[in-house]
């Protein structure tokens, strides 16, 4: 074999290797660009999902004092410090009639929405413990005058149902009414509708709940025997809406089921390692943001992520669920009123 043949053969092999390496490099570079583009699109999509209401601007300064928020002393110099101060968040579950999915899940065919679920989530200083206080929707309250987005304001209403605040004035009036009856500043507002809750449960792989009695509620479309069940999103939503199939059929029975769901969801989230499953993480994030309305302090993915990071020490064991103390209203056996002084003492403990 001549030197020319050897050099030519080596040259061809080197050339092929060179082209192969260049091709692999281009494929890798393309994959990186595609991955970055996909991540960028996902972030943009999730960010665009979130709807918000400017609660602070609408209500102005006529509100309870804002709690002092202190930064975490352990935060690194390269990252913004995480807040560790106490926090109060009004969480509403609305029976929105907008969209086919909500109507199919029981939202009905009419327009508008009501706050079927109302919880004040109080996070202690240090953010390692929390108290979730449910406010019965049938509670009779004094609803304050609320500004309307169309201009003007609502009239003060006496002895009216608590959930009428959302129906007549949306999130702004819901927040103002809660602050009026509790004298506790709501630092944030979060609302999720029927379809969003169901999608969240499905994205997490369902939720396991134990019921102490049989449930048969035609209105919520749920039938369950007493015992432990792993529910999908539609079933979990039906459980959250059930009231006529349990106990005395009042809203207090439904609240007890909702509080079970809160605990069960926390346990499901803590047992699901979302960071090792990007696809599931995206489905959960998409489910949450797709049906979410917040105040403007939480209307971006980065702000929600920062809040979530500050609450990383919370677990189902460190979250206490209670209901605002109430008694049957003298004016209507189907309505309740705050039981004083117990109700005021509860709200005082959250300030």
């Amino acid at each position: 074999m001549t030197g020319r043949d050897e050099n030519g053969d080596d040259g061809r092999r080197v050339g092929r290797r060179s082209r192969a390496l260049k091709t692999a490099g281009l494929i890798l570079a393309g994959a990186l660009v595609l991955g970055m583009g996909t991540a960028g699109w996902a972030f943009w999509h999730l960010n665009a999902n979130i709807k918000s209401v400017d609660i602070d601007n609408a209500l102005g300064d006529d509100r309870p004092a804002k709690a002092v928020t202190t930064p975490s002393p352990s935060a690194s110099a390269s990252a913004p410090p995480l807040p560790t101060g106490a926090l109060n968040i009004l969480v509403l579950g609305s029976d929105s009639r907008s969209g086919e999915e909500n109507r199919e899940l029981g939202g009905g065919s009419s327009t508008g929405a009501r706050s079927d679920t109302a919880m004040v989530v109080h996070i202690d200083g240090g953010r390692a413990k929390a108290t979730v206080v449910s406010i019965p929707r049938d509670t009779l309250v004094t609803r304050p005058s609320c500004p309307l987005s169309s201009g003007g304001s609502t009239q003060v209403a006496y002895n009216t149902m608590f959930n009428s605040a959302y129906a007549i004035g949306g999130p702004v009036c819901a927040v103002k009414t809660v602050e009026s009856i509790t004298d506790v500043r709501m630092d944030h507002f979060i609302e999720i509708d029927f379809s969003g809750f169901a999608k969240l449960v499905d994205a997490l792989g369902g939720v396991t709940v134990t019921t102490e009695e049989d449930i048969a509620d035609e209105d919520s479309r749920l039938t369950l025997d007493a015992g432990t069940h792993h529910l999908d999103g539609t079933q979990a939503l039906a459980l959250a809406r059930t009231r006529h199939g349990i106990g005395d059929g009042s809203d207090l029975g439904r609240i007890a089921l909702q509080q079970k769901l809160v605990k069960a969801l926390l346990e499901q989230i803590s047992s699901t390692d979302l960071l090792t499953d990007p696809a599931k993480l995206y489905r959960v994030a998409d489910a949450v943001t797709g049906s979410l309305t917040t105040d403007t302090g939480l209307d971006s993915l980065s702000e929600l992520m920062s809040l979530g990071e500050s609450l990383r020490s919370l677990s189902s064991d460190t979250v206490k669920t209670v209901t605002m103390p109430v008694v049957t209203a003298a004016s209507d056996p189907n309505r309740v009123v705050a039981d004083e002084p117990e109700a005021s003492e509860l709200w005082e403990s959250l300030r």
Side-chain angles (χ1 to χ4, degrees):
M1 183 176 291
T2 66
R4 182 176 182 275
D5 290 336
E6 291 174 357
N7 291 338
D9 188 51
D10 287 346
R12 284 192 294 272
R13 285 199 296 270
V14 170
R16 285 195 294 270
R17 285 197 299 270
S18 178
R19 286 193 296 273
L21 288 171
K22 287 180 180 179
T23 302
L26 288 172
I27 292 173
L28 178 59
L32 288 172
V33 170
L34 180 61
M36 291 170 62
T38 301
W41 177 88
F43 188 91
W44 173 87
H45 173 72
L46 295 174
N47 217 48
N49 272 347
I50 306 168
K51 301 178 288 292
S52 66
V53 177
D54 193 348
I55 302 289
D56 288 341
N57 185 59
L59 294 184
D61 296 327
D62 185 19
R63 305 177 64 185
K66 183 181 294 188
V68 177
T69 302
T70 56
S72 170
S74 60
S76 66
S78 60
L82 291 172
T84 58
L87 201 64
N88 292 299
I89 305 173
L90 175 60
V91 178
L92 297 182
S94 74
D95 64 347
S96 172
R97 273 87 166 150
S98 63
E100 183 177 347
E101 289 179 323
N102 281 320
R103 288 193 294 272
E104 289 178 350
L105 289 168
S109 58
S110 61
T111 58
R114 298 164 298 182
S115 54
D116 260 14
T117 303
M119 297 178 176
V120 173
V121 180
H122 172 79
I123 298 145
D124 291 356
R127 305 201 176 182
K129 296 181 180 180
T131 302
V132 179
V133 184
S134 297
I135 302 176
R137 53 169 284 182
D138 295 337
T139 305
L140 296 180
V141 301
T142 296
R143 189 184 68 229
S145 174
C146 300
L148 297 173
S149 58
S150 58
S153 59
T154 66
Q155 296 292 318
V156 175
Y158 300 95
N159 291 315
T160 189
M161 280 178 59
F162 166 75
N163 72 338
S164 70
Y166 183 94
I168 196 171
V172 170
C173 198
V175 170
K176 185 163 187 179
T177 300
V178 169
E179 291 185 344
S180 175
I181 65 177
T182 66
D183 197 29
V184 176
R185 171 77 170 236
M186 296 298 109
D187 301 290
H188 292 297
F189 160 82
I190 295 175
E191 174 193 338
I192 189 166
D193 64 21
F194 278 5
S195 66
F197 179 80
K199 287 178 180 177
L200 171 61
V201 173
D202 283 336
L204 287 168
V207 62
T208 300
V209 176
T210 299
T211 60
E212 281 75 30
E213 58 182 299
D214 297 342
I215 296 175
D217 189 347
E218 292 182 0
D219 289 344
S220 68
R221 310 171 190 174
L222 182 67
T223 300
L224 283 179
D225 293 332
T228 300
H229 304 272
H230 191 73
L231 309 179
D232 64 18
T234 301
Q235 293 170 316
L237 175 63
L239 185 67
R241 299 183 61 229
T242 291
R243 65 183 292 182
H244 300 298
I246 56 169
D248 61 1
S250 73
D251 194 41
L252 298 180
R254 172 163 57 184
I255 285 175
L257 292 178
Q258 291 171 350
Q259 292 174 346
K260 279 182 179 290
L261 272 173
V262 168
K263 290 276 194 175
L265 277 172
L266 285 171
E267 290 174 0
Q268 183 66 23
I269 290 170
S270 64
S271 66
T272 304
D273 191 357
L274 296 175
L275 295 180
T276 63
D277 190 343
K280 178 176 280 191
L281 176 60
Y282 176 79
R283 288 195 298 272
V284 171
D286 193 36
V288 171
T289 59
S291 300
L292 201 67
T293 301
T294 72
D295 64 281
T296 49
L298 286 179
D299 63 353
S300 74
L301 194 59
S302 58
E303 288 166 334
L304 286 172
M305 289 170 63
S306 177
L307 174 63
E309 179 66 14
S310 77
L311 304 180
R312 63 188 180 277
S313 297
L314 283 180
S315 68
S316 61
D317 294 331
T318 60
V319 175
K320 178 182 178 181
T321 56
V322 298
T323 301
M324 182 182 79
V326 294
V327 294
T328 302
S331 60
D332 187 339
N334 295 316
R335 301 288 180 261
V336 296
V337 294
D339 187 11
E340 298 295 358
E342 286 80 0
S344 292
E345 290 171 354
L346 171 62
W347 299 124
E348 175 66 27
S349 70
L350 306 185
R351 293 183 195 128

